[in-house]
Amino acid sequence: MKGKSMRILSGIQPSGVLHIGNYFGMMRPAIALQAEGEAFYFIADYHALTSVRDPKALRENIRRVALDFLACGLDPERAALFRQSDVPQVTELAWILSTIAPMGLLERSHSYKDKLARGMPPSVGLFSYPVLMAADILIYDSDVVPVGKDQKQHIEITRDLVVKINETFGQSEPDGQIFKLPEPRIQAATEVVPGIDGQKMSKSYGNNIDIFGDEKEMRKRVMSIVTDSTPVEAPKDASRSTIFQLYSLVASKSEIAGMRERFQKGGTGYGNFKKELFEKLWEYFTPMRERREEILADKSYIDNVLARGAKRANEIADQVMTRVRKRVGLR
Ligand code: AMP
Ligand code: TRP
């Protein structure tokens, strides 16, 4: 990205309490990227309407996601943090994109099929979810989108839509482009963080370890990680162990090597490894828990951050929408 600064964008749904899969898959990479360009991180409340039907719960979740993201290190001096619905123009762009989006492209979406399989009602909004997500990305002329692996197909759909809209409306542009192609940024080491049953960690599977659960709860979740029945004295396979995978996210290189050796050697039971994992996890998030208390003590902090973020996001979104409306013939 020569000359102009790289624009980074990501979103997270306020549909429940954030877990360590969200943290390592999306929040930590997004926080690391905030120093490398101009970052826009938003709370995807329009998206959450596809699953949350309780207005009070939605409002509470939005605040808690803002709080947790800030506590984890999002720096509002570097990154704009805002509510998706504070930029309602994004729904206009979603409509424009939906008139170009081929049905077949959306019919191939795994996440739609997965959500139906989990019993979610098949609404039009749930079906066209990837179009709104494309609008989220394109309305800020984003270059890079840090997400977990489960969102990869959504970014691919966005890229397909960019090609299509450029073909349809881009001819009059000097470079043939209305939008540039955004790139997903997926951390190989944390693309799928396992939950306590070894499947992908997800609140809808009930296998989550929450970032800011209390001590008793976090210990209980860690102690209930599912293991195989290898006896204490026997050697164990670290690479296939959820305990070891989670430990690798929070321990130092030498600690990780030490645990791997003890797995191979045998003589240590899974219960002991779980205790070590709990200690490390608890320690890892301690500074963030402290920061969270500080933010909570400052009553207007979150509102101020969200208001500033919304102002910045609207500046860019307005520029892009003026360009798009003109190109498609609406102005
Ligand atoms: P969601 O739970 O769908 O709102 O996820 C928010 C963000 O966290 C997305 O970027 C996901 O890809 C990421 N994420 C969620 N669960 C995991 C997981 N188990 N491993 C890695 N990333 C995840
Ligand atoms: N679909 C994402 C999720 O469920 C959230 C999201 C909405 C998003 N719009 C986005 C992520 C734009 C990245 C870019 O996790």
Side-chain angles (χ1 to χ4, degrees), residues 258-296:
M259 185 178 276
R260 189 196 298 279
E261 233 169 69
R262 281 178 294 128
F263 260 79
Q264 277 159 1
K265 224 168 67 197
T268 309
Y270 285 123
N272 283 323
F273 289 130
K274 287 180 188 175
K275 280 190 194 127
E276 287 175 51
L277 168 60
F278 166 73
E279 296 299 334
K280 274 285 145 207
L281 262 180
W282 187 254
E283 187 187 308
Y284 185 93
F285 289 106
T286 295
M288 301 174 207
R289 266 190 302 274
E290 288 166 5
R291 178 74 189 118
R292 196 170 183 271
E293 290 307 313
E294 282 169 23
I295 296 170
L296 274 175

Side-chain angles (χ1 to χ4, degrees), residues 105-324:
L105 183 65
L106 299 184
E107 278 162 359
R108 288 193 290 277
S109 161
H110 305 307
S111 84
Y112 178 66
K113 287 181 237 172
D114 291 349
K115 285 172 181 172
L116 292 202
R118 281 191 263 129
M120 283 174 71
S123 65
V124 173
L126 196 64
F127 181 73
S128 59
Y129 183 110
V131 178
L132 179 57
M133 183 156 161
D136 292 328
I137 296 170
L138 299 179
I139 205 165
Y140 304 107
D141 279 333
S142 313
D143 297 297
V144 173
V145 186
V147 279
K149 191 184 169 196
D150 57 356
Q151 297 299 316
K152 187 167 179 225
Q153 194 192 29
H154 288 149
I155 319 276
E156 281 160 6
I157 293 174
T158 304
R159 291 169 59 91
D160 286 347
L161 289 177
V162 167
V163 171
K164 191 113 188 146
I165 198 166
N166 284 345
E167 270 170 19
T168 314
F169 293 112
Q171 281 92 350
S172 57
E173 299 296 307
D175 56 0
Q177 282 192 18
I178 301 214
F179 290 114
K180 53 186 165 181
L181 276 176
E183 301 274 349
R185 181 74 63 92
I186 299 168
Q187 302 293 317
T190 54
E191 59 176 28
V192 184
V193 176
I196 60 173
D197 59 356
Q199 307 299 306
K200 181 199 138 178
M201 185 176 292
S202 167
K203 53 196 169 266
S204 51
Y205 302 157
N207 63 357
N208 41 311
I209 300 174
D210 297 337
I211 307 173
F212 294 114
D214 66 23
E215 188 166 356
K216 203 170 144 209
E217 180 197 320
M218 191 186 258
R219 179 177 290 126
K220 198 167 148 219
R221 300 298 280 170
V222 171
M223 294 314 287
S224 32
I225 290 174
V226 176
T227 54
D228 59 27
S229 51
T230 316
V232 173
E233 58 285 0
K236 299 174 183 65
D237 187 353
S239 63
R240 290 182 42 215
S241 161
T242 304
I243 307 171
F244 182 75
Q245 281 180 51
L246 294 178
Y247 188 77
S248 303
L249 298 173
V250 287
S252 70
K253 269 208 174 108
S254 64
E255 287 164 338
I256 297 168
M259 185 178 276
R260 189 196 298 279
E261 233 169 69
R262 281 178 294 128
F263 260 79
Q264 277 159 1
K265 224 168 67 197
T268 309
Y270 285 123
N272 283 323
F273 289 130
K274 287 180 188 175
K275 280 190 194 127
E276 287 175 51
L277 168 60
F278 166 73
E279 296 299 334
K280 274 285 145 207
L281 262 180
W282 187 254
E283 187 187 308
Y284 185 93
F285 289 106
T286 295
M288 301 174 207
R289 266 190 302 274
E290 288 166 5
R291 178 74 189 118
R292 196 170 183 271
E293 290 307 313
E294 282 169 23
I295 296 170
L296 274 175
D298 184 345
K299 292 280 173 257
S300 54
Y301 185 80
I302 296 178
D303 286 332
N304 288 339
V305 167
L306 292 176
R308 263 194 294 152
K311 186 163 174 280
R312 179 70 190 129
N314 271 285
E315 284 165 11
I316 309 292
D318 284 338
Q319 286 167 18
V320 173
M321 284 315 291
T322 301
R323 182 177 89 213
V324 172

